[in-house]
Amino acid sequence: MTTLADRTIAALRTTHDELAAFVRGLDAADLTRPSGCSEWSVAQVLSHLGSGAEIALATLRAAQDGEEAPGQDFNHPVWDRWNAKEPEEQAEDFLAADADIVSAFESLDAGARERLQIKLGFLPMPGSVALVAGMRLNEAALHAWDVMVAFDPKATVGRDAAGVLTDLYAGPLDFLIGFIGRPDGLDPRLATTLRVETTDPENLQGLTLGETVGFSDAPEPADVTLALPSEAWARLLSGRLAPEHTPPSATVTGDGVTLDDLRRVFPGF
């Protein structure tokens, strides 16, 4: 049986392979282009992914060895070292570090994927492999888009990653929505539960907007329906669905809530 952890790790591999192939074709000038992250160049995005991969690998190894997760005294020197690299070195070292964390997740057998608990300093309880690999996929897939969009304004999140992320957001990563959602971005009079219909791949969810933001069962009937590709859904939730990057198939039907309202609720991070 294919589990959510299995699907997440497979999507991590696809995301890595696609981004790595793209990065290998970039030259020095390409690496200094502004990325989809407003304050980072392409190389800086890759540096962030590389340092994150190094920290994630140390965290995974600690869990496997039954040790405490590395803390800020480990993380800060890693960030400082990556930030000090030249752009071409950041890109080259990203390729190796990202390959290492993907391979480490792939090496987990079925038992470990089901039972291993991984301590994270910012969560009160250890996380499952699906949760921790899912957090890495969320970061990798969205930052891969940040790199790609620097060269193509119609860039999309990879289909495999988008499909898995849709399930993760309403599953082990549901806490992220409460963290990144800004309910004060919506007029309280527009509070509602949206019916969210995603395609490629298809999925159906409910998104409650009110004093808090969170997932629910899809309402039937619904006052407001949001329909969009799964990859655009991932980008909307992460503040990456500006009008110029919104596919024509993304629509909101019903009274009240608009795409611009949703962009204010999910401004990005």
Side-chain angles (χ1 to χ4, degrees):
M1 180 180 69
T2 301
T3 67
L4 182 56
D6 296 334
R7 294 172 55 220
T8 302
I9 292 168
L12 272 172
R13 167 54 64 188
T14 302
T15 301
H16 168 79
D17 288 349
E18 291 176 351
L19 181 57
F22 186 81
V23 169
R24 290 189 183 100
L26 302 181
D27 60 25
D30 292 332
L31 292 171
T32 60
R33 282 194 188 201
S35 74
C37 289
S38 59
E39 297 181 357
W40 285 349
S41 69
V42 168
Q44 287 171 316
V45 171
L46 297 174
S47 175
H48 176 74
L49 281 175
S51 61
E54 187 175 331
I55 292 168
L57 182 60
T59 301
L60 178 59
R61 295 300 189 219
Q64 290 176 298
D65 294 339
E67 299 176 353
E68 289 297 316
Q72 294 302 308
D73 57 338
F74 175 86
N75 297 348
H76 280 288
V78 172
W79 293 326
D80 291 343
R81 176 162 39 80
W82 279 84
N83 290 338
K85 298 175 187 283
E86 294 298 322
E88 289 175 281
E89 188 181 10
Q90 289 174 328
E92 188 66 27
D93 291 351
F94 152 76
L95 295 172
D98 197 54
D100 286 346
I101 185 59
V102 173
S103 295
F105 277 120
E106 288 176 327
S107 71
L108 298 176
D109 62 23
R113 293 183 185 196
E114 179 182 356
R115 293 188 294 271
L116 183 64
Q117 293 292 298
I118 304 168
K119 293 180 181 179
L120 301 171
F122 52 88
L123 291 180
M125 299 291 290
S128 67
V129 170
L131 184 150
V132 177
M135 292 184 65
R136 179 62 189 175
L137 178 63
N138 183 59
E139 184 172 41
L142 294 170
H143 283 315
W145 182 85
D146 291 331
V147 170
M148 303 289 193
V149 80
F151 304 88
D152 177 7
K154 297 186 182 300
T156 59
V157 172
R159 184 184 188 277
D160 288 351
V164 177
L165 286 172
T166 299
D167 291 336
L168 286 166
Y169 291 145
L173 297 189
D174 62 347
F175 69 92
L176 281 179
I177 301 307
F179 175 72
I180 63 180
R182 297 290 182 267
D184 56 356
L186 186 72
D187 186 325
R189 293 172 295 181
L190 299 179
T192 188
T193 296
L194 276 69
R195 179 182 175 90
V196 182
E197 300 175 351
T198 54
T199 57
D200 196 29
E202 293 184 357
N203 206 313
L204 179 63
Q205 297 174 340
L207 179 70
T208 298
L209 305 175
E211 293 184 2
T212 60
V213 179
F215 286 106
S216 63
D217 292 334
E220 181 61 54
D223 293 330
V224 182
T225 297
L226 169 65
L228 73 176
S230 293
E231 73 83 22
W233 174 232
R235 290 193 289 115
L236 172 63
L237 295 178
S238 63
R240 290 169 168 83
L241 200 69
E244 64 271 24
H245 301 308
T246 300
S249 58
T251 60
V252 179
T253 56
D255 295 329
V257 178
T258 67
L259 269 177
D260 281 338
D261 290 323
L262 295 174
R263 290 182 182 112
R264 285 190 291 272
V265 173
F266 299 105
F269 52 91

